[in-house]
Amino acid sequence: MKFNLYRKFSNLIDYSNIKLNDEKNNVVMLFHSIEDKSKYKEDLYHMNLEKFKDIIISLNNNYEFENFDNCFKRNGKLIITFDDGYLNNLTTVSPFLDSYVIPMHIFVATDLIESKSNIYLGKSELKELSNLKHVSIGSHGKSHSKLTNLSISNLKNELEYSKN
């Protein structure tokens, strides 16, 4: 159900009219995989590249973007993040965002990186991404488990492994 709602909602939004709140809090926008050609049905985790470009260009005409390191500053800017560490975050997204000098932050799950899947970043691609000027990288845990459901011991192991 949430995928159907997302699809309907994302097609209705006029991103040029997004209003940031009066308190000047930053707004974090979360994405996952941005597909050049839709291999997947578009949903919460997969977005068409052209739609993504339209969103970013519209927002870039009206707002400023901020690096994730400054997410708690109250300056009313937008922050672009990506979850999981999809390979297209490097090959498709980063060149586009870099052309507009828009920073991006990627939260990677180490088990996905180590899976050697052709849809996720591998260690060498992750290193390449980490060397890009407008990219920062953070932890999304080891196994991509829902952290709030883990025991304290498992949570500690999940986060320590991921950070190491």
Side-chain angles (χ1 to χ4, degrees), residues 85 87 90 106-110 113 120-132 135-138:
L87 181 59
L90 169 67
I106 301 178
F107 293 98
V108 296
T110 52
I113 300 303
Y120 295 107
L121 295 160
K123 288 182 182 182
S124 64
E125 291 94 1
L126 187 58
K127 185 171 181 159
E128 181 181 343
L129 194 61
S130 73
N131 289 322
L132 298 177
V135 176
S136 58
I137 299 172

Side-chain angles (χ1 to χ4, degrees), residues 42-102:
E42 195 164 318
D43 58 25
L44 181 64
Y45 302 105
H46 305 279
M47 179 180 275
N48 177 279
L49 176 60
E50 293 310 313
K51 183 183 286 185
F52 177 75
K53 285 181 175 182
D54 288 345
I55 292 167
I56 297 301
I57 290 168
S58 179
L59 291 172
N60 194 47
N61 290 333
N62 296 289
Y63 302 100
E64 292 181 52
F65 290 87
E66 181 66 86
N67 185 294
F68 186 79
D69 293 342
N70 299 318
C71 69
F72 294 112
K73 287 187 177 179
R74 294 170 51 109
N75 56 12
K77 295 184 180 178
L78 297 172
I79 297 169
I80 303 295
T81 69
F82 294 85
D83 270 4
D84 304 335
Y86 284 92
L87 181 59
N88 59 40
N89 296 166
L90 169 67
T91 59
T92 305
V93 175
S94 65
F96 171 71
L97 291 179
D98 193 52
S99 71
Y100 286 90
V101 193
I102 295 174

Side-chain angles (χ1 to χ4, degrees), residues 15 17 34 39 70 93 97 103 130 132 146 160:
Y15 289 91
N17 292 322
I34 307 299
K39 299 177 193 173
N70 299 318
V93 175
L97 291 179
S130 73
L132 298 177
K146 186 169 183 175
E160 283 180 358

Side-chain angles (χ1 to χ4, degrees), residues 2-69:
K2 72 178 177 180
F3 299 129
N4 289 334
L5 290 173
Y6 167 78
R7 200 173 320 125
K8 288 177 184 175
F9 180 69
S10 67
N11 289 326
L12 296 174
I13 295 175
D14 177 3
Y15 289 91
S16 64
N17 292 322
I18 288 179
K19 303 284 187 238
L20 298 178
N21 60 40
D22 292 333
E23 296 177 12
K24 294 287 188 188
N25 291 327
N26 289 330
V27 173
V28 177
M29 298 183 72
L30 169 64
F31 298 94
H32 288 82
S33 176
I34 307 299
E35 303 291 331
D36 192 9
K37 295 180 182 165
S38 187
K39 299 177 193 173
Y40 305 95
K41 186 175 183 181
E42 195 164 318
D43 58 25
L44 181 64
Y45 302 105
H46 305 279
M47 179 180 275
N48 177 279
L49 176 60
E50 293 310 313
K51 183 183 286 185
F52 177 75
K53 285 181 175 182
D54 288 345
I55 292 167
I56 297 301
I57 290 168
S58 179
L59 291 172
N60 194 47
N61 290 333
N62 296 289
Y63 302 100
E64 292 181 52
F65 290 87
E66 181 66 86
N67 185 294
F68 186 79
D69 293 342

